[in-house]
Structure formats: structure tokens, C-alpha cells
Amino acid sequence: MSNQLGAGVTPEALTEAIEKSGYPLQSTVFNLLESDFTVQQEWGFNDRLTGEMRSCDLLAIKELGHLPAKESRIRPSLAVVIECKQSDLPYVFFSPAKRSWRLTLPQITGLRHEHIAVRTDDSKSSWLLTVMQALEIDNDPFLNRGGFSIMSKCARKPKLELTGTDAYNGIVMPLLSAAAHFAKSSEPRETWQWLDAFLLSAVAVLDAPMVAARTTEAGTELELTPWCRLFRHEPETQDAFVPHVGRTAAIDVVHKGFFRDYLLDHLIPFAEKVSTRILRHNEIFATGKGFAPGMDKNSRERIYERLRPTE
């Protein structure tokens, strides 16, 4: 049988079908990443709810500045799980929200400990800090950016209507499951002395109108925007330190035309800042233990500058 298009399938119709799919966008995003990142297309992961094997469009990893192994036990990298979506109809973002103090994505994965136990000289107590708190980077403008708690996609039924199902099933849940799988798979073995530290982030790239909707006394205001942060709150396990607070993940939703600027001006500079700070105190973050003087007197300011390894 010859390799040719069948009856009724024209090159024009096939080209139109391809261009309406998300594959051209995925290829465009891949091309933007490949010069600076190692990129895996159709990266497979196990769904955290069903256990079934799925795939996200792209996993991109960028190794950041690092020291020789004899000087640092940690090799920092940036890891980004990415979903690409294309639509002629808009995605709409509602319910402006501030960042939760317990933001669990972006997160640092690959270390042996999720918290750093800090002892001090003016108290017998110890302080349990998240890695972000110990890095004293949790108040960085990149993390503190405001966002939205609801994302919907427009559909014609036959009038224009909003549906949250497409955005939830096609973007939110796959990215959260992919991030959870990456975090689990990057856990080090007990015998490892040298560790990776991945700044893990989840990003959706859209080739579609992105609209922020805000309700005011005068009515609903609409604004086209190239970057929206979506906050997704989920319950915490009962054995967590503060289970009633839950976990809040941030997914950055970025328009295709802004994606390069997002990488170069926002995400990568933040990742490089994390890398610099984690390398300076690599022994502390490798062991999960540290010392800082005067914690009983001041446990909120300049902790990172006071940190040093335990003897």
C-alpha cells in the first residue's frame, strides 16, 4: 500500500486540523526552551489520584551555577512542568487572591529534608523552617505576586458560556500531578552524599486570549493580561504541622507571546537567586540542620545571614 492521503483527506484539511491542535504550540515552546534547557516532550508521570500513567507536554530542566563537588554537596537546577493549550476563545480568571503564606508550589525538591531544624544560643528550643523560609526568599517579589483562584474557559453552547471543567481537567490537575510525581521521583536515597536541589515550577502556556475579570460596584471589568497566577488550594494530610491550613500551589499561566519574557525576566532570575543562596549554605540544606544565634529574640528577620552549619 502506498503512503498517501486517503480519499476525502486533503492536505489543506489536514493542515487545518494540525494548526487547530496544540502540537504547533508545543513545538514553539520547545524551540524557545531548547537553547537553555534540557527538554523532554510528552514527559510521563503517574497520576496522583488514579495512579494511571499520563504525560504532560514538556518537562524542562536547566542546571544553574554550581560549585565543584568538593566545595558543595548540592547541585541546583530549575525544573518546569509545562502544559500547552490553544484556543480561539478566551480563558477567563476570577476571584483575585493573595499568595498564601503556605505556598507549596513552586517548591524545592531533591533534598533529603523538607524543613531545616535551626538551633540557637539564647534558647533550648529549635525552629523548624521550610527550605524557602530558611533561604529567606519566600518574600521575594516573584513568589509574592498576586493571582486568581478561579480559571474558566469560554465555550459556544451555542451562546458564549464559561466552563471550569476544561481548565481544571486539562491544565490544573495534570500540572499538579506532574509536579507531585517529579517531587517524589527526585527524592534522594539515604546513602547519597551529594544531592540535587530542583526549584520546581508548574506553567501553562496558552495561545488564546487571557482575560482577568474583576467585579466592581460599576459592574464587571475585563482586562487582557499576558500572565496570571492561579492559586489552587487543597487539603493537607492530618499528620501535617498545621493540617487545617492546607496546601496552596501556584500555577503560572502565561500567554505564548510573553513566555520568553516570563522566562528571562522573572522565572530564571528567581531560580538563579535560589541557586546562589542555597550554594552558600549547601551543608545546612544537605543535612537539614543549622544554627543561628539570637533566634529566641528574633526569629523573623535576617535568619539566612545568621545561619551556619552545626558543629
Side-chain angles (χ1 to χ4, degrees):
M1 181 177 179
S2 61
N3 183 12
Q4 60 183 8
L5 298 176
V9 181
T10 65
E12 293 76 17
L14 181 57
T15 299
E16 182 180 359
I18 292 172
E19 290 177 348
K20 286 184 177 180
S21 73
Y23 294 111
L25 175 59
Q26 182 175 326
S27 297
T28 298
V29 174
F30 175 86
N31 292 335
L32 288 172
L33 290 165
E34 66 172 342
S35 61
D36 292 320
F37 290 77
T38 300
V39 188
Q40 173 65 56
Q41 298 200 60
E42 300 299 321
W43 181 73
F45 64 91
N46 292 322
D47 190 282
R48 62 193 177 128
L49 300 180
T50 67
E52 296 177 354
M53 203 285 281
R54 301 184 60 177
S55 64
C56 67
D57 289 336
L58 300 160
L59 169 67
I61 297 178
K62 176 181 175 61
E63 188 172 315
L64 302 169
H66 64 276
L67 300 173
K70 63 182 179 180
E71 298 179 27
S72 174
R73 293 177 57 188
I74 292 178
R75 178 177 60 183
S77 299
L78 168 63
V80 192
V81 289
I82 301 172
E83 280 290 324
C84 303
K85 297 296 178 185
Q86 183 171 309
S87 175
D88 293 332
L89 298 176
Y91 283 81
V92 185
F93 300 82
F94 298 93
S95 298
K98 293 183 179 180
R99 171 211 157 187
S100 167
W101 70 272
R102 186 169 167 73
L103 194 62
T104 54
L105 185 71
Q107 67 184 113
I108 307 291
T109 73
L111 299 177
R112 187 163 286 119
H113 307 277
E114 293 184 359
H115 294 83
I116 306 299
V118 179
R119 300 192 66 84
T120 190
D121 57 358
D122 59 348
S123 172
K124 292 183 179 181
S125 300
S126 61
W127 279 256
L128 200 61
L129 307 178
T130 67
V131 173
M132 287 293 195
Q133 287 172 332
L135 286 169
E136 214 163 13
I137 207 165
D138 56 326
N139 288 322
D140 186 271
F142 178 81
L143 289 183
N144 269 338
R145 179 183 175 88
F148 298 83
S149 57
I150 299 174
M151 176 173 68
S152 293
K153 183 178 180 295
C154 287
R156 298 189 188 278
K157 299 185 178 181
K159 293 182 179 180
L160 204 62
E161 295 182 12
L162 294 178
T163 170
T165 304
D166 287 350
Y168 179 77
N169 291 332
I171 294 177
V172 175
M173 296 310 290
L175 283 175
L176 293 183
S177 286
H181 180 90
F182 185 92
K184 182 67 177 176
S185 62
S186 64
E187 291 178 355
R189 297 179 183 177
E190 287 297 326
T191 56
W192 291 1
Q193 294 298 309
W194 285 268
L195 308 173
D196 286 300
F198 296 99
L199 174 64
L200 175 60
S201 182
V203 178
V205 182
L206 304 185
D207 185 5
M210 292 174 52
V211 180
R214 293 179 172 85
T215 301
T216 68
E217 293 182 358
T220 301
E221 296 180 352
L222 304 179
E223 179 184 5
L224 289 168
T225 178
W227 174 16
C228 283
R229 178 161 290 167
L230 180 67
F231 292 116
R232 169 69 183 175
H233 182 268
E234 296 186 336
E236 183 61 279
T237 58
Q238 286 303 308
D239 59 350
F241 181 62
V242 282
H244 64 282
V245 175
R247 302 165 62 89
T248 300
I251 297 173
D252 279 337
V253 186
V254 183
H255 191 271
K256 178 189 74 170
F258 186 71
F259 182 61
R260 182 173 176 80
D261 292 333
Y262 167 80
L263 285 176
L264 297 181
D265 298 337
H266 301 281
L267 181 59
I268 292 177
F270 175 69
E272 289 174 340
K273 188 181 298 185
V274 170
S275 170
T276 299
R277 295 176 80 84
I278 208 166
L279 285 175
R280 176 180 171 185
H281 288 320
N282 69 88
E283 184 67 20
I284 294 171
F285 293 101
T287 61
K289 298 178 181 179
F291 174 87
M295 286 291 288
D296 192 54
K297 181 179 180 181
N298 181 4
S299 61
R300 295 182 178 275
E301 299 175 337
R302 299 186 64 252
I303 297 174
Y304 177 83
E305 294 299 327
R306 288 182 278 156
L307 275 178
R308 57 178 182 261
T310 56
E311 295 181 358

